[in-house]
Amino acid sequence: MSSGNKNENDGKVAFETALDLAGFGLYNYNLTALTGFIIIAYACIAFGTTIIIPASACELETTNAQQGLIAAGPLVGIILGGVFGGYLGDKFGRRRMLFVSLLSASAVNALASISVDWIMLLILQTIASFCAAGKYSLSMTMVSESVPMAKRNLIVLLVTSIFLLAQGIMAVIAIPIIPLSFSFYLPNLGIYWNSWRTLLLVYSAPGLLAAAWLLTIKESPKYIYSQGREQEAIDIIKSIHKMNNRKSAGELQISGLIYDAQQSSGPLSPKEQIIPLFKMPLLKYTIIMTILFVFQQVGAFAVWLPSIANQFVQIVETGEGTDQSLCSILSNSIDIPADPDVVPCSLNVTSLLMVLLVGAVQSVANGLLSLIVNRVGRRNMAMVVAVACGLAGIITNLIPNAYVSVAFFVFFMLGILILGLYTAIAVALFPTSLRALAVALTMTGGRLGTFASVQILNLLLEVNCDAGFYLFCSIFAASAIVAAFLPNDKYLQTTQPKKDDTS
């Protein structure tokens, strides 16, 4: 290389190289922990109704149909708010929109605690979920864009493990609060302040704490660079390097970033953000990722976890019905009349603990998955998970033994781990300027599928349980064929860059 060319490019590196040179340390640990906490805050808003609905049934006097509407409200809010949050994240920045999402969702959710009837609760919970919808995709995108490529898969999958455990954490939070019997009348509102209203306030707290924590984090440097603000992106990378290498007095020596049209394109108009996702070459990936998210409907089965847990506990305690498959257990739980000795609005603590247990198993399994994904590749791992868990779901009701059948069902429930793989794949496939919207759009396809699947599964589990399992599990297993059309990223994983004079 001539001295002229050397001087011209002296100190300039590619963006990913600059991020690698910043290292992986305290800043990244802080960001990863914050992302996990944001995910917990998201779960408390989006899934809190699963506990609030039965706990509030007596005071609000809700019917089964009204409870179904309240349950559907947050899902509708997440569907409508997902794409909107992704677009705003690409337009105004991941950090700024996360801050808005955290504060607004917590405020509206807290306001829902003074709902005077079920309609008010439905409306406010739907709005809160709309505001919270961007938390997952924006936080996952921001952490993916702020860590070295060699650590990216690991971080995304670890945060996904926290997401899998979040619903269990939410259930544990509810256990000491919901059974409390206090009740204070508020004459101005005509309501009684009690345990379920208190729980709604508690579920609002993580969002407020996460918003304060977010002040310690910089905006995604890749997003800043994609907006054409090169020097600002360099300053953020240098600050990350400084925090990651506090014992080192030297400053990261980067004078500029080598231009990449895909990385740095400047601010985009709404048309420039949306249309490329529906034109080649990105159209192919938009379609494939949307199909994969739609075909993964393990979450629809999670709705039945408390019912399955209740009936399974009864079988263990009585010793009867252990020769039944899971569908037989579930059918019996639907047919058994209500126990007059049980308080109508009480929550089964054992069921909540079993939900925590399933979440813990999923979380641990996802952590183990993160240790081998770089060797196997995200696409290949997703294909293996889809086939293995889909087949486990099919086998679940072929075995007339309650313990073995439930064991296969839990294995099938591990299929939800594929969400983290799909998210990591989507982050890698789409350019920075379109990434948040692309991830939110494809995930919204999955949420629409879940909304429909919950209704279909609700009917099938009562009318023909086996058909419900065979249908959704076969579709999930077959999704491996669709995933095969994605690029094989096994050989695209990068190793740590060699140290050079720029460090």
Side-chain angles (χ1 to χ4, degrees):
M1 179 183 293
S2 67
S3 60
N5 289 338
K6 182 177 180 180
N7 292 333
E8 181 180 352
N9 294 313
D10 187 31
K12 284 193 173 185
V13 296
F15 177 85
E16 288 294 344
T17 301
L19 206 57
D20 289 334
L21 293 171
F24 187 87
L26 181 60
Y27 180 88
N28 305 105
Y29 296 137
N30 184 42
L31 176 58
T32 303
L34 171 59
T35 303
F37 194 71
I38 290 174
I39 296 302
I40 293 174
Y42 167 75
C44 287
I45 303 294
F47 308 119
T49 51
T50 59
I51 293 177
I52 298 300
I53 289 173
S56 63
C58 291
E59 181 183 354
L60 300 182
E61 298 180 344
T62 51
T63 64
N64 288 336
Q66 291 167 347
Q67 291 177 23
L69 290 174
I70 298 173
L75 189 55
V76 172
I78 291 172
I79 291 171
L80 296 178
V83 175
F84 187 63
Y87 165 74
L88 293 178
D90 284 335
K91 185 71 175 177
F92 300 107
R94 287 74 161 109
R95 181 176 178 271
R96 179 183 300 177
M97 295 317 303
L98 262 176
F99 193 75
V100 172
S101 176
L102 289 165
L103 291 180
S104 59
S106 293
V108 176
N109 195 64
L111 186 61
S113 66
I114 59 172
S115 298
V116 298
D117 55 31
W118 71 272
I119 296 178
M120 182 176 176
L121 179 63
L122 166 62
I123 293 173
L124 291 178
Q125 289 275 271
T126 301
I127 296 174
S129 297
F130 177 87
C131 296
K135 289 181 185 179
Y136 185 90
S137 60
L138 287 175
S139 61
M140 292 290 273
T141 300
M142 187 170 74
V143 73
S144 298
E145 294 176 344
S146 303
V147 299
M149 186 178 293
K151 299 288 187 180
R152 201 161 292 162
N153 286 347
L154 174 64
I155 294 303
V156 170
L157 286 169
L158 287 177
V159 173
T160 303
S161 294
I162 298 176
F163 170 69
L164 295 171
L165 192 58
Q167 293 187 45
I169 294 174
M170 182 185 69
V172 170
I173 293 173
I175 289 175
I177 297 176
I178 286 298
L180 298 177
S181 58
F182 68 87
S183 181
F184 303 106
Y185 183 64
L186 303 179
N188 292 335
L189 296 173
I191 63 174
Y192 288 88
W193 186 267
N194 45 35
S195 59
W196 71 265
R197 296 182 186 276
T198 303
L199 185 61
L200 268 178
L201 278 184
V202 173
Y203 282 164
S204 302
L208 299 177
L209 295 176
W213 192 348
L214 190 61
L215 297 176
T216 67
I217 298 297
K218 302 288 186 181
E219 175 60 273
S220 159
K222 183 170 282 190
Y223 168 78
I224 295 296
Y225 184 45
S226 73
Q227 300 301 294
R229 294 142 59 186
E230 179 181 348
Q231 187 55 50
E232 188 178 347
I234 293 174
D235 292 340
I236 292 175
I237 292 174
K238 286 183 177 181
S239 68
I240 293 175
H241 174 268
K242 183 178 181 180
M243 183 172 289
N244 286 342
N245 302 272
R246 291 178 298 165
K247 296 182 180 180
S248 174
E251 183 182 82
L252 185 62
Q253 299 301 315
I254 298 177
S255 62
L257 299 173
I258 299 174
Y259 179 76
D260 186 338
Q262 287 189 332
Q263 300 282 5
S264 178
S265 56
L268 300 178
S269 67
K271 180 179 179 181
E272 291 173 323
Q273 280 186 289
I274 298 172
I275 291 181
L277 298 177
F278 297 95
K279 293 175 62 177
M280 293 299 291
L282 296 182
L283 175 61
K284 170 186 175 181
Y285 298 136
T286 301
I287 293 175
I288 291 176
M289 293 310 304
T290 301
I291 291 175
L292 290 177
F293 274 112
V294 170
F295 280 13
Q296 187 283 127
Q297 293 305 327
V298 179
F301 285 83
V303 175
W304 294 97
L305 268 179
S307 298
I308 295 172
N310 281 335
Q311 190 66 9
F312 185 71
V313 168
Q314 291 178 11
I315 291 177
V316 171
E317 290 177 346
T318 62
E320 298 179 359
T322 55
D323 59 345
Q324 299 178 20
S325 68
L326 185 59
C327 269
S328 298
I329 297 171
L330 187 55
S331 297
N332 289 338
S333 69
I334 294 174
D335 296 335
I336 292 176
D339 187 346
D341 297 327
V342 176
V343 179
C345 295
S346 64
L347 292 176
N348 190 311
V349 174
T350 303
S351 296
L352 293 176
L353 290 175
M354 292 193 71
V355 171
L356 171 63
L357 177 62
V358 172
V361 171
Q362 292 172 331
S363 183
V364 171
N366 198 68
L368 296 175
L369 198 70
S370 67
L371 300 178
I372 61 174
V373 66
N374 281 343
R375 298 182 180 182
V376 179
R378 292 166 295 199
R379 186 205 69 167
N380 297 338
M381 181 61 70
M383 293 171 65
V384 171
V385 171
V387 172
C389 294
L391 290 177
I394 295 174
I395 296 173
T396 294
N397 292 298
L398 298 178
I399 301 176
N401 182 286
Y403 300 102
V404 179
S405 185
V406 168
F408 272 98
F409 176 69
V410 172
F411 190 89
F412 164 67
M413 293 297 293
L414 294 179
I416 205 166
L417 305 183
I418 212 168
L419 286 175
L421 293 169
Y422 287 165
T423 302
I425 291 171
V427 165
L429 288 176
F430 296 98
T432 306
S433 58
L434 309 174
R435 185 169 293 149
L437 177 60
V439 172
L441 180 64
T442 53
M443 289 183 66
T444 297
R447 289 162 178 165
L448 284 170
T450 301
F451 179 78
S453 297
V454 167
Q455 313 305 319
I456 297 172
L457 192 60
N458 183 25
L459 176 63
L460 288 178
L461 289 178
E462 185 173 359
V463 177
N464 194 330
C465 176
D466 295 281
F469 267 84
Y470 297 147
L471 173 64
F472 288 103
C473 297
S474 298
I475 291 175
F476 185 34
S479 67
I481 299 175
V482 180
F485 288 93
L486 291 171
N488 186 353
D489 61 330
K490 177 181 179 181
Y491 304 105
L492 299 180
Q493 312 296 331
T494 60
T495 58
Q496 292 286 357
K498 295 180 180 180
K499 298 293 182 182
D500 55 25
D501 295 337
T502 59
S503 60

